[in-house]
DNA sequence: TTCGATTTGTTCGTATGTATT
DNA sequence: TAATACATACGAACAAATCGA
């Protein structure tokens, strides 16, 4: 069988065909061609469209599935992942009760301000110094008690007309809001944890003394192509909750 | 083409053929048929042995690769992962310097005692109550300063004749020792993190005051089939180091 | 309820490319 | 250089799940 290489354009095949296909699909995702929750074209249709075999399409989608960018369902199709789904939510949410109880989380918006980015924020978010960012303070309650204090920063340019009303009235998660309202899909996060004493405000909001240790988490959230989207610092009262890191139960497929 | 199903024995084919193959390979690994670092038979050889197609073998090995149980190298073969390798080491080691510097870690054994398992240890390690366990205290130094205090418990039955000499004189990592000396391969860990004040001894060894927060990590290490092997509590001085959790940079394949 | 169309999942087989020894 | 081993790509057939007529 002679290779077709309709995509590589007869080039030196610098990268495998399925990687090329994966990149094309990802670019369509970025362009918003297929909305979160919607089905992407079937494997046979994509194969016809790209002039490659179904196996090659499958291998490209295999990787997108492994990266949790799409989800496959036998008999139904392949869908762009949604962050409002419980499974996706808990994928990025690692705080669990020490006694194993599962409580529905409730959130409360404390403040939303727009300011100029400081140098560290600008560097980490890939912004020009002085560019405007939204700064949000948020509390998360588990079993009716405040457990997590979040301070997050996002580029104002990416999230126009974000305001306290739309933020506080959201259904589901913050990343669900990014996705539904701004078409921004968080696909990966990186977190750095340390133990610290809570700043005064955190201590007040979480109801812990200023001398009792809390868990501090600095997170960067990324969208496609490792583009940083959000910077977040969380303080967690680990009196009755803890951070769970499973490395891992990555049951393939 | 008619399916062969030489393995399922004409049974109900309750699970896919490649899962069956994966299970067989895993069982051979457990039996120590192929030692860590050694190559397992080539894909074509395995295909002939199991009477299935190469594609089915590949799919089985794909999952073992994703679970970091084996490593593939084009042109060379497929190898059982070793924990003495740097890459594997850093896979389970998440403490990094805040300033990004990479320092070679040094360890120092503080004590090794053999006692009866308390109820929690017995439960988590799947032992009968009162069974004997080794309890090891260990310090890890980074850039010549003590940063991590480890207390770990392992079943004495699984690790016979473990003593301070062999433990302290090990080359490489603790899991490397388990693997080289006892044929026990840690393939997954689960960690639960919280902020705490250091116990007196930890405070002394790490050189931090009793009132300054440290990161406490409770880890369970598992071998094949999710069998627990080691229970470990670590206290980390996060003054100049932090815990890195990358969810994820899981570049498939 | 049954049936058929559609879609992903599994399995086979073959050919060729690329890296290692 | 030749042999070996994994990597990529193709195509075909059937199984299993889903959904609507």
């Amino acid at each position: 069988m002679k290779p077709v290489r309709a995509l590589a354009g007869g080039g030196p095949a610098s990268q495998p065909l399925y990687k090329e296909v994966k990149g094309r699909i990802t670019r369509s995702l970025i362009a918003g061609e297929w909305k979160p929750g919607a089905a992407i074209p079937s494997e046979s249709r994509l194969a016809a469209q790209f002039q490659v075999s179904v196996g090659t399409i499958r291998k490209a989608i295999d990787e997108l599935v492994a990266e949790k960018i799409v989800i496959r369902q036998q008999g139904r199709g392949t869908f762009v992942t949604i962050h409002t789904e419980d499974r996706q939510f808990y994928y990025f949410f690692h705080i669990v009760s020490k006694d194993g109880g599962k409580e529905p989380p409730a959130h409360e918006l404390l403040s939303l301000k727009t300011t100029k980015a400081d140098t560290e924020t600008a560097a980490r978010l890939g912004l020009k110094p002085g560019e405007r960012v939204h700064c949000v303070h948020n509390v998360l309650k588990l079993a009716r008690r405040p457990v997590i204090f979040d301070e997050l920063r996002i580029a104002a340019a990416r999230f126009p007309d974000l305001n306290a009303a739309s933020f506080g009235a959201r259904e589901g998660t913050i990343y669900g809001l990014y996705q539904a309202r701004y078409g921004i899909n968080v696909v990966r996060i990186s977190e750095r944890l340390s133990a610290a004493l809570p700043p005064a405000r955190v201590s007040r909001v979480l109801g812990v003394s200023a001398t009792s240790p809390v868990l501090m988490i600095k997170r960067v959230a990324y969208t496609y192509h490792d583009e940083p989207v959000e910077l977040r610092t969380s303080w967690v009262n680990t009196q009755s909750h803890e951070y769970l890191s499973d490395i891992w139960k990555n049951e393939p497929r």
Side-chain angles (χ1 to χ4, degrees), chain A:
Chain A
M1 201 64 45
K2 125 174 82 74
V4 178
R5 297 226 138 263
L7 293 175
S14 54
Q15 101 177 313
L17 195 47
Y18 77 91
K19 289 271 188 190
E20 180 66 32
V21 169
K22 179 188 171 189
R24 284 216 176 189
I25 296 176
T26 304
R27 281 192 289 279
S28 288
L29 258 347
I30 295 172
E33 197 164 321
W34 310 304
K35 301 293 178 199
I40 70 176
S42 75
E43 294 175 351
S44 53
R45 213 182 306 276
L46 287 171
Q49 202 179 116
F50 292 154
Q51 294 277 293
V52 301
S53 79
V54 180
T56 301
I57 297 289
R58 277 194 75 79
K59 189 151 184 177
I61 296 183
D62 275 349
E63 295 205 348
L64 295 174
V65 169
E67 293 168 33
K68 307 262 195 298
I69 289 173
V70 298
I71 295 178
R72 276 205 271 240
Q73 281 179 263
Q74 183 176 164
R76 298 227 305 138
T78 303
F79 305 85
V80 185
T81 52
I82 326 180
H83 283 287
T84 49
E85 303 267 332
D86 269 14
R87 239 171 323 182
Q88 283 310 305
F89 170 64
Y90 284 109
Y91 184 61
F92 289 136
F93 186 73
H94 294 148
I95 305 300
V96 299
S97 168
K98 283 185 184 175
D99 58 32
K102 269 198 181 173
E103 319 105 357
H107 57 84
E108 186 183 317
L109 178 64
L110 295 182
S111 71
L112 191 158
K113 289 180 296 192
T114 306
T115 61
K116 283 188 189 172
D118 59 277
T119 47
E120 198 212 334
T121 303
R124 288 203 182 272
L125 287 183
L127 305 177
K128 286 188 280 286
E131 221 173 317
R132 299 193 72 76
V133 294
H134 298 309
C135 177
V136 178
H137 287 173
N138 192 60
V139 196
L140 219 140
K141 297 183 182 182
L142 296 170
R144 295 210 220 295
R145 302 176 64 83
V147 175
I148 308 174
F149 181 104
D150 283 327
E151 173 179 271
L152 54 94
R153 289 165 208 280
I154 51 184
R158 264 181 181 274
F159 298 87
D161 68 87
L162 181 71
N163 55 48
S166 63
F167 199 98
R170 71 177 183 277
E171 311 256 326
T173 71
I174 293 177
Y175 293 163
L177 174 75
Y178 295 172
Q179 197 177 59
R181 241 177 109 85
Y182 301 96
I184 294 174
N185 212 333
V186 172
V187 297
R188 178 171 92 79
I189 63 174
S190 171
E191 296 186 314
R192 286 158 29 245
L193 290 77
S194 54
L197 292 176
R201 184 171 182 193
V202 172
S203 151
R204 217 163 41 239
V205 170
L206 294 187
V208 297
S209 96
T211 57
S212 62
V214 293
L215 189 62
M216 185 174 75
I217 308 175
K218 287 179 167 255
R219 164 192 291 194
V220 185
Y222 300 86
T223 183
Y224 304 115
H225 295 331
D226 274 346
E227 199 184 335
V229 170
E230 179 207 76
L231 214 60
R232 180 187 298 201
T233 306
S234 303
W235 288 267
V236 184
N237 178 357
T238 54
Q239 226 94 80
S240 53
H241 293 79
E242 55 197 355
Y243 180 98
L244 182 65
S245 167
D246 241 331
I247 311 288
W248 75 50
K249 196 49 180 183
N250 202 21
E251 271 306 294
R253 270 151 279 267

